[in-house]
Amino acid sequence: MIVIAVLVLSRAAAPCIGQTSALALMHHDAYQDTVRLITGKMALDHHFKKWKLDFIFDARQTLISNTRARLGGRRLGVEHRRGHRFGVAVFAFDDPVSVSSLREVNPDVDTAVFTMSYGSFFYERVYYFSRKWELSAAIHLGDGTISGKYRIRGAENFVDYPEQRVRPIEFSTSGYYNITWWLSAGGGIGYRLMPNAPREVRPIYNAPVLLFKVKLRFFKLLRRIGNPEVVNEY
C-alpha cells in the first residue's frame, strides 16, 4: 500500500515539478550581466533586457541674456545593459527669444529677437538606479541654426540677423522618479556651450539649463500586451 501511495503521489507531483524546472531553466537562460554603478557592481537578471528602445519628452528652461526661455525637445535612442543610452534628439525654442539689448552686435540695439533649433547625438550614462529612482549624466553634440532680427534705438524697422550654423555642446546631470512601470518624471541641471557660434551671439547662448523630463515607455506598453512579466522590468 505504501509503495502504491508513493507512486500515485509521484505521478501527481510530476507536472508541477516539470513546470518549476521549466521556469527555472527559462530564468537561467534569460539575460544575465553586471553593470557598474556608484554603489558598486550590480547584477542584472531576467528583469532586465540587454537592449531596449528609449523615448523621452525632454524640455529645457534656459537663461539667454538674463531672459528665461523654454526649449522643447524629443529624444529617441536605445539602452544597452541598463547603464548606457545613446541616440538622437531634436530641440527647438517654443517661442522666439526677445531681449532688450544686444551689445554683442551694437550697443544701440533696444530690441532683438532670436530663434534656434538643433538636432543632436547624445550619450547618457546611468550611474545609479533602483525600482523608484535613477541618476544619470549626459552629453549632447548638436548641429543646428540660429536666426533673428534686431532694431536700433530710434529706428522703425528691424534689421535681419542672417541665419548662422551652430554646433551646441551640452553637459548635464539629471534624476528620474518612476511614477509607475510605464511613466517616469524628473529634472536636472546642465550647461550649454556654443564654441563655433558667431562671436557677437556666443555670449547669448552659452548658458546654464534646467531640465524637465517625462519618460513614456510606449514600447514597454506594447510589449505588456500578452506578457504580464513586462511590468517587473526596470
Side-chain angles (χ1 to χ4, degrees), residues 54-58 60 72-77 86-92 117-123 139-144 170:
D54 186 62
F55 178 72
I56 295 177
F57 292 102
D58 195 348
R60 283 154 162 71
R74 290 161 182 80
R75 203 181 83 173
L76 178 64
F86 47 90
V88 295
V90 178
F91 298 98
S117 61
Y118 64 93
S120 73
F121 292 100
F122 73 87
Y123 170 73
I139 179 173
H140 285 257
L141 303 178
D143 185 274
E170 184 182 296

Side-chain angles (χ1 to χ4, degrees), residues 6 26 55 65 98 100-101 108 124 142 167 174 186 219:
V6 170
M26 180 182 68
F55 178 72
S65 284
S98 179
S100 59
S101 66
D108 293 326
E124 181 179 19
R167 293 188 176 92
S174 58
F219 302 104

Side-chain angles (χ1 to χ4, degrees), residues 78-136:
V78 293
E79 180 182 279
H80 178 55
R81 297 178 57 236
R82 191 53 180 86
H84 307 272
R85 299 187 184 116
F86 47 90
V88 295
V90 178
F91 298 98
F93 283 103
D94 291 348
D95 297 298
V97 175
S98 179
V99 296
S100 59
S101 66
L102 192 61
R103 293 184 177 276
E104 296 85 0
V105 175
N106 188 318
D108 293 326
V109 170
D110 66 356
T111 303
V113 180
F114 287 98
T115 60
M116 180 175 74
S117 61
Y118 64 93
S120 73
F121 292 100
F122 73 87
Y123 170 73
E124 181 179 19
R125 179 64 164 94
V126 178
Y127 55 85
Y128 172 79
F129 67 86
S130 65
R131 282 196 174 273
K132 281 295 184 182
W133 294 96
E134 177 183 298
L135 299 174
S136 64

Side-chain angles (χ1 to χ4, degrees), residues 2-233:
I2 296 176
V3 173
I4 294 174
V6 170
L7 291 174
V8 171
L9 290 175
S10 298
R11 290 182 178 180
C16 296
I17 295 174
Q19 290 176 3
T20 303
S21 300
L23 183 61
L25 182 61
M26 180 182 68
H27 285 171
H28 177 74
D29 292 338
Y31 172 63
Q32 294 182 350
D33 204 341
T34 60
V35 62
R36 185 173 294 278
L37 308 176
I38 58 173
T39 53
K41 282 189 176 181
M42 181 172 180
L44 304 178
D45 57 19
H46 62 280
H47 289 137
F48 300 88
K49 294 178 66 66
K50 186 173 184 178
W51 292 95
K52 64 181 180 180
L53 291 170
D54 186 62
F55 178 72
I56 295 177
F57 292 102
D58 195 348
R60 283 154 162 71
Q61 187 84 15
T62 186
L63 192 67
I64 297 181
S65 284
N66 298 319
T67 301
R68 290 185 179 182
R70 189 172 65 173
L71 190 68
R74 290 161 182 80
R75 203 181 83 173
L76 178 64
V78 293
E79 180 182 279
H80 178 55
R81 297 178 57 236
R82 191 53 180 86
H84 307 272
R85 299 187 184 116
F86 47 90
V88 295
V90 178
F91 298 98
F93 283 103
D94 291 348
D95 297 298
V97 175
S98 179
V99 296
S100 59
S101 66
L102 192 61
R103 293 184 177 276
E104 296 85 0
V105 175
N106 188 318
D108 293 326
V109 170
D110 66 356
T111 303
V113 180
F114 287 98
T115 60
M116 180 175 74
S117 61
Y118 64 93
S120 73
F121 292 100
F122 73 87
Y123 170 73
E124 181 179 19
R125 179 64 164 94
V126 178
Y127 55 85
Y128 172 79
F129 67 86
S130 65
R131 282 196 174 273
K132 281 295 184 182
W133 294 96
E134 177 183 298
L135 299 174
S136 64
I139 179 173
H140 285 257
L141 303 178
D143 185 274
T145 59
I146 59 173
S147 59
K149 57 185 179 180
Y150 60 90
R151 184 178 62 191
I152 304 297
R153 185 177 293 107
E156 295 183 1
N157 299 321
F158 280 83
V159 178
D160 288 334
Y161 184 86
E163 185 175 274
Q164 301 283 349
R165 186 177 182 183
V166 292
R167 293 188 176 92
I169 301 174
E170 184 182 296
F171 304 90
S172 64
T173 183
S174 58
Y176 294 99
Y177 177 74
N178 298 323
I179 300 171
T180 184
W181 61 270
W182 57 270
L183 181 66
S184 302
I189 58 174
Y191 196 88
R192 183 184 57 247
L193 297 170
M194 307 276 279
N196 76 319
R199 185 180 300 275
E200 62 268 26
V201 299
R202 194 178 306 163
I204 300 176
Y205 285 99
N206 286 344
V209 292
L210 295 176
L211 284 66
F212 305 94
K213 300 184 178 184
V214 175
K215 181 184 291 187
L216 174 64
R217 294 176 175 84
F218 176 74
F219 302 104
K220 193 173 182 180
L221 285 170
L222 292 179
R223 291 175 50 235
R224 170 62 178 81
I225 301 174
N227 184 8
E229 283 294 315
V230 167
V231 302
N232 296 317
E233 295 178 2

